[in-house]
Amino acid sequence: MNLMNTPYKLYYWPTIQGRGEFIRLALEESQVPYLDVARLPAPEGGVAALQRLLHSEEDAVRPFAPPFLKVGNLLLSQVANVLHFLGPRLGLVPNDDESRHLVLQLQLTISDFISEIHDTHHPISTALYYEEQKIEAKRRTTLFLQHRLPKFLGYFEGTLRRQLSLGAEYLVGGFSYVDLSLFQTLEGLAYAFPKVFEAARHTIPLSLGLAAKIEARPNIAAYLASPRRLPMTEHDLFRQYPALDLP
Amino acid sequence: MNLMNTPYKLYYWPTIQGRGEFIRLALEESQVPYLDVARLPAPEGGVAALQRLLHSEEDAVRPFAPPFLKVGNLLLSQVANVLHFLGPRLGLVPNDDESRHLVLQLQLTISDFISEIHDTHHPISTALYYEEQKIEAKRRTTLFLQHRLPKFLGYFEGTLRRQLSLGAEYLVGGFSYVDLSLFQTLEGLAYAFPKVFEAARHTIPLSLGLAAKIEARPNIAAYLASPRRLPMTEHDLFRQYPALDLP
């Protein structure tokens, strides 16, 4: 693919899934041609290309942090904002304005959820390693698993239950990008907290059903089997630390 | 005002500014008639009215948490989503789609900023009092003030600097709801960290200039002088704990 002629250019740290993965899943599902710029070779690609845009004086409003997407001259950041932009263009949201606001609302709740998941292993600062805040991490995670995890999981499960009673199969009626994001969040939780997640599975049958359907979508299945899908690791958003995974 | 006939109904905890204040400022600036339902007397108002909607089975997609806004049959939550909905309806965003995405992007960066500010006094859990996590709060706040506060303040200041060089006065060119939100965030920081904020003032002349302009807008000035503007307290989002305010 040619860097100049491909309309969608994604910029994100090249060695992790992170927050970029929520945008990547939407691009992969829609099969639109896109470039994952920081994963391409320099000088056009690489982290240097990402850093150049992050510190450019060209755009008055520039990203605070990756991921960001360049479409023509428009440079957009914040995962939920990027997905809200892509949704109608890639057919990843229902057609009406009200539904699009509800999809954005749920996506922002996913953002809150993953921020809290991130902070289980970094409760003090991203300027410190996990090992430098593991005592606080244990305290935060224990309360997160007790109070917040059931509340978030129950919220999405309840949404699906009410949709099902209206005859709908997805979080906002028709399929949308937030269904992809819930799938990714559940994948991350299953990785980070295998014991706790196993114990919680019986409480979220509809969410797991949705995740299985997403995983089986042909474009998603092909992506997950490809080398583009990086493995989860302890340098990423979702981290598996056995000391934190206590049901 | 009549509860039934007023188009915009805001629901938020009645005794604090909190995250509801970002929506309240937009409603006040636009002078649209609205009801602050949880501040009205029961049975139509009060916290019970808020709780009823939060646990209602009527809306398939319901709020995860306050604040939320009811407009006709539409129930919307997540501050940035509500503001993105109100923006074009209340004349609080520029007219083009690209600018609206950039306003939303900056608003989401404000959301991240205030979440980090909140977590300075609650680094472990919202299920615990500050007093139960003050040691961790001190550690988190020290690193927040050192690394994150300058980064966020510098980000908005740089945005204003680049806009100014294009002849624009606001964060996204024309006036928008995110200018109100930056004003509120700076007010909160000045309250929570008076010493640190005083020391930082010389680094953000353009942001302070914008805040002064917002404060002088007639509808905002009238609101700030009214009893509807509650004082900041230590039960709120921005909290003044002298132990944390060390430059």
Side-chain angles (χ1 to χ4, degrees):
Chain A
M1 273 190 279
N2 183 295
L3 190 64
M4 289 296 124
N5 298 333
T6 306
Y8 294 101
K9 300 186 186 74
L10 175 66
Y11 292 78
Y12 193 62
W13 307 118
T15 59
I16 62 171
Q17 291 187 17
R19 286 180 167 83
E21 196 70 6
F22 295 88
I23 300 174
R24 212 174 269 122
L25 284 168
L27 293 167
E28 292 281 348
E29 166 62 25
S30 74
Q31 290 289 291
V32 73
Y34 76 99
L35 293 176
D36 208 332
V37 179
R39 289 192 189 170
L40 298 175
E44 289 85 3
V47 169
L50 178 156
Q51 295 281 9
R52 271 197 300 278
L53 276 186
L54 207 49
H55 301 289
S56 156
E57 287 293 312
E58 220 169 277
D59 299 281
V61 179
R62 65 191 187 192
F64 183 77
F68 45 90
L69 188 76
K70 197 159 172 69
V71 190
N73 288 322
L74 186 62
L75 184 62
L76 282 184
S77 70
Q78 287 283 358
V79 170
N81 181 46
V82 172
L83 290 172
H84 181 60
F85 173 87
L86 289 175
R89 285 161 180 85
L90 305 185
L92 296 174
V93 278
N95 256 326
D96 61 298
D97 192 50
E98 293 200 358
S99 295
R100 287 174 188 180
H101 274 287
L102 294 175
V103 173
L104 177 58
Q105 171 177 323
L106 290 182
Q107 187 66 39
L108 290 170
T109 307
I110 292 274
S111 293
D112 290 345
F113 194 8
I114 64 171
S115 282
E116 293 198 23
I117 294 168
H118 169 271
D119 283 6
T120 59
H121 54 76
H122 274 75
I124 299 299
S125 174
T126 51
L128 301 176
Y129 291 109
Y130 162 68
E131 287 71 20
E132 298 174 280
Q133 52 195 308
K134 58 199 269 197
I135 292 166
E136 295 93 338
K138 179 66 187 167
R139 195 172 179 213
R140 177 154 184 152
T141 304
T142 302
L143 288 157
F144 169 79
L145 295 176
Q146 189 181 342
H147 296 286
R148 301 297 285 174
L149 182 66
K151 183 169 174 174
F152 277 108
L153 291 180
Y155 174 74
F156 289 104
E157 185 72 9
T159 305
L160 284 171
R161 180 175 50 72
R162 290 186 294 278
Q163 291 291 7
L164 210 68
S165 77
L166 298 170
E169 291 181 80
Y170 297 98
L171 283 164
V172 188
F175 171 71
S176 75
Y177 60 77
V178 76
D179 298 305
L180 299 172
S181 291
L182 181 59
F183 158 75
Q184 172 68 6
T185 306
L186 296 177
E187 287 288 295
L189 286 168
Y191 173 80
F193 304 108
K195 288 184 197 165
V196 170
F197 194 76
E198 184 60 33
R201 290 181 71 88
H202 73 280
T203 66
I204 53 165
L206 301 175
S207 303
L208 293 172
L210 174 69
K213 252 189 333 206
I214 297 297
E215 197 171 3
R217 290 176 80 91
N219 298 341
I220 296 296
Y223 168 63
L224 295 176
S226 80
R228 298 190 301 287
R229 172 74 164 186
L230 299 179
M232 297 195 179
T233 73
E234 280 57 69
H235 302 282
D236 208 327
L237 183 57
F238 300 104
R239 300 189 183 190
Q240 190 177 90
Y241 292 124
L244 301 181
D245 180 29
L246 279 188
Chain B
M1 272 190 279
N2 183 295
L3 191 65
M4 288 297 123
N5 298 333
T6 307
Y8 295 100
K9 300 186 185 77
L10 174 66
Y11 292 78
Y12 193 61
W13 307 118
T15 59
I16 61 172
Q17 291 187 17
R19 287 182 166 82
E21 196 70 6
F22 295 88
I23 300 173
R24 210 174 270 122
L25 284 168
L27 294 166
E28 293 281 348
E29 166 62 25
S30 74
Q31 290 290 289
V32 74
Y34 77 99
L35 294 175
D36 208 332
V37 180
R39 290 191 189 170
L40 298 175
E44 290 85 2
V47 170
L50 179 156
Q51 294 282 10
R52 271 197 301 279
L53 276 185
L54 208 48
H55 300 290
S56 154
E57 287 294 312
E58 219 170 276
D59 298 282
V61 179
R62 65 191 187 194
F64 183 76
F68 45 90
L69 189 75
K70 196 159 171 73
V71 190
N73 288 322
L74 186 61
L75 185 63
L76 282 184
S77 71
Q78 287 282 356
V79 170
N81 181 46
V82 172
L83 290 171
H84 181 61
F85 173 87
L86 289 175
R89 285 161 180 86
L90 304 185
L92 296 174
V93 278
N95 255 326
D96 61 297
D97 192 51
E98 292 199 0
S99 294
R100 288 174 188 180
H101 274 288
L102 294 175
V103 174
L104 176 59
Q105 170 177 323
L106 290 182
Q107 188 65 40
L108 290 171
T109 308
I110 292 273
S111 294
D112 290 346
F113 194 8
I114 64 170
S115 282
E116 293 197 24
I117 295 167
H118 169 272
D119 282 7
T120 58
H121 54 75
H122 274 74
I124 299 299
S125 174
T126 51
L128 302 175
Y129 290 109
Y130 163 67
E131 286 72 19
E132 298 174 283
Q133 52 194 308
K134 58 200 267 194
I135 292 168
E136 295 93 338
K138 180 65 186 165
R139 195 172 179 213
R140 176 153 183 152
T141 304
T142 301
L143 288 157
F144 169 80
L145 295 175
Q146 190 181 340
H147 296 286
R148 302 296 286 175
L149 181 67
K151 182 167 176 176
F152 277 108
L153 291 180
Y155 174 74
F156 290 104
E157 185 73 7
T159 306
L160 284 171
R161 180 175 50 73
R162 290 186 294 278
Q163 291 291 5
L164 209 68
S165 77
L166 299 169
E169 290 183 79
Y170 297 99
L171 284 164
V172 188
F175 171 72
S176 75
Y177 61 78
V178 76
D179 298 305
L180 300 172
S181 291
L182 182 60
F183 159 75
Q184 172 67 7
T185 305
L186 296 177
E187 287 288 294
L189 286 168
Y191 173 81
F193 303 108
K195 289 184 197 166
V196 170
F197 193 75
E198 185 59 34
R201 290 181 70 88
H202 73 280
T203 66
I204 53 166
L206 302 175
S207 303
L208 293 172
L210 174 69
K213 253 189 333 205
I214 297 297
E215 197 170 5
R217 289 176 81 91
N219 298 341
I220 296 297
Y223 167 63
L224 296 176
S226 79
R228 299 191 299 287
R229 172 74 165 186
L230 300 179
M232 296 194 179
T233 73
E234 280 56 71
H235 302 282
D236 209 325
L237 182 57
F238 300 104
R239 301 190 182 189
Q240 190 178 91
Y241 293 124
L244 301 182
D245 180 29
L246 279 189

